[in-house]
Amino acid sequence: MEVLPKKGKKACTMCRQQKAKCDVWRDESVPCSRCRKRNLECTVDDSFTREHKRRRYIALEHENERWRQLQTSQQLNPDSVPIALSTAATELGVPSVLKSDAQLDDSQGLSLAYPQYHLAPAGPTPAPMMGGNDPANSRSLKSVTVTGGEIDDLFFRHYASFLPILDAQIKPNSYYAQSPFLFWAVIGVASRSYSRNPTLQTALAQEVTEMAFLSVLSTCAPWYTIQGLLLLLTWPFPKENRPDVTFPLSGMLLHVAMQNGFHIPMSSHEFSRVKIPASSDLDMVRRSELWAHCVLVYQRSCVTKGQSPRNLVSLAQDTIQRQVLFDKIAPHLVQKLRCQEVVGKCSEEVLENGFRAMSLDQELALDILLRKYEGEVDDIALQAVVDDEKYHLLLCRMAIQSFHFYKNQTLVSSGCLPRLIVTACNLIDYVQGLADRMGSLFMAPVQISFGLLLASMSLLRILKSDYASSGLDTSRAQASFFATINLAKQMSTDRSDTAAKMITVLNQLWISSKAFRKSDGSEYTALRIRSRLILSQILDAVWWWRDEYDPNGRAKMQGTESVDGPSRINIPPGIEAGRAVIGTDPTLDARGIIHSSRPLQGEFQINEDYLTNFEWMSDEIFSFPPDASLLNNLP
């Protein structure tokens, strides 16, 4: 009697990759228990082959090192290399860690993936790619002229470690020939800390911002447009009197990348306007890493604007695309993407749970939800491969825990306040350590200033509450709060930037006896701003500041007063439950404060049209001129 071989049980691709037990064989139409628990995409693919990610990454590093050695030994003549080859292929450019092969020719057995004509910018072929030792030429942008010496000083100073997407070996003249917008984006970002000409940032802000919006009409390769937008969104110009453009620019960045196939590296050739070969493995790594930076910058922009970002699952075209992306890019980028993905998923579930007028059951459900996502942050931390990326884990945890401030009835009983203090203090300590290592923080990107703002506002709200004397570690919290003000001094490069305004608001709220208090002096625990997700507690604190220090600005912006006195505000749809709890319709007095016959502990009743046009965030969160006298009179 013939004995048939035993057929093995099926497992999903995620479990097979991790060598974990899988029970998808019970019913392939239902995700396995492990994928359900971790919110992973559960797919069964018989053709899937497990890859050793660490071994593959090490092999890529060794391959890159061999290319660098070839470059050194070859001693190429820079005049023989066209500028078009300064990036990998087509509309690719190359992340700095994998760029050296761009200078090799076909004689080394590393044939280019795409023909030269598809790489080159429109017009005649510019000067040599690397620029040799030629000094930078003076450049003018309308009425602003930057000398060659200033350009040489400004390029690649202090900023590359936070966003390694440019090649320091390429000279400024070559960057200008490749893309004037990318060239001026580099100059604009670096000018924020250029002490030899402190007026340069202000002079360039309007012109470079206009170039950013017009860059989609450029005939330059999209890779350069993407790099320029990444720079401007990581280090945005101070707003001053201009409209806030970071949020629309982040959407444009994402769509330019998707229009050119960066979100599907293995099929990017299908998005080209001319017929080209499929990308090589190295090209796919480059595209994948640039796409990862695009997703990170876009999602951060959404979070700092109080919006729920699209996650990688919604941006992918197939269920295993995200895992393919994670397998190709550097581990530290994977960690950042996972942190942002956790924040995005948490924001979506908070929205589903409801937060406008929360019942006791909703608050209890929110607490369970937030603990679940804190557990996911713990899982990411266990898989961390780079110690220097700890900040992104701290900011992720801080963002999740900030949702606790939406609670009113269970804020103290849930035991979240001690954890909030620990997370906020750890985040501030990390930034302090970064400042000590680097000597300054003027080059800090927007995610660091936002993290400091979120942590300091959380500490401020706790320290000003009645719970501060109930066994909380207020001594460390207070020291960290004051440290934030000193760190903001190091970060500020302009009197109208976020850091300078942060100093003013934090200082005045700290000495205020009215902040987070009702008219009778009792504590006001509820958030009045409840529609901006993680941003709500920051905006709420700023509203308390405006109530006391700039009431005319609040009344003018809100537009609720008339000649006859304060008018009734419109109650947004869906707030009837909140009115039932409050007991009466609220009204505004001349200072813009809501009054009711019962203490208001729920929704801050304002017109939704006002929130729609509300333009505070990051540099735009404080719409007031900073008081210079406060910058040096701090606790």
Side-chain angles (χ1 to χ4, degrees), residues 114 134 181 207 221-222 441 458 464 480 527 535 579:
Y114 304 107
D134 295 337
F181 164 59
E207 308 300 340
L441 282 178
S458 299
K464 300 285 284 187
S480 295
L527 290 179
L535 183 64
R579 290 173 57 179

Side-chain angles (χ1 to χ4, degrees), residues 562-579:
S562 64
V563 178
D564 299 327
S567 62
R568 294 285 290 270
I569 50 180
N570 298 326
I571 305 299
I575 308 300
E576 296 301 322
R579 290 173 57 179

Side-chain angles (χ1 to χ4, degrees), residues 471-545:
L472 297 178
D473 187 6
T474 55
S475 58
R476 185 189 179 194
Q478 182 171 316
S480 295
F481 176 79
F482 292 151
T484 300
I485 299 177
N486 292 323
L487 290 170
K489 288 183 178 181
Q490 298 184 44
M491 293 173 61
S492 179
T493 61
D494 186 274
R495 292 185 65 241
S496 62
D497 64 13
T498 300
K501 297 171 183 177
M502 190 191 311
I503 295 169
T504 302
V505 171
L506 292 178
N507 181 75
Q508 292 186 332
L509 283 177
W510 175 256
I511 63 177
S512 170
S513 60
K514 300 179 180 179
F516 315 115
R517 296 284 166 177
K518 302 175 189 175
S519 57
D520 61 0
S522 59
E523 185 179 1
Y524 194 108
T525 58
L527 290 179
R528 302 183 297 175
I529 303 296
R530 303 180 68 86
S531 62
R532 303 296 290 273
L533 296 175
I534 296 167
L535 183 64
S536 287
Q537 65 140 326
I538 298 177
L539 290 179
D540 187 81
V542 174
W543 274 51
W544 282 104
W545 176 89

Side-chain angles (χ1 to χ4, degrees), residues 35-41 345 349 372-373 376:
C35 289
R36 287 200 304 271
K37 180 180 178 180
R38 297 172 179 267
N39 288 332
L40 301 174
E41 293 292 331
K345 290 192 299 183
E349 293 204 29
K372 164 193 168 185
Y373 281 105
E376 292 198 14

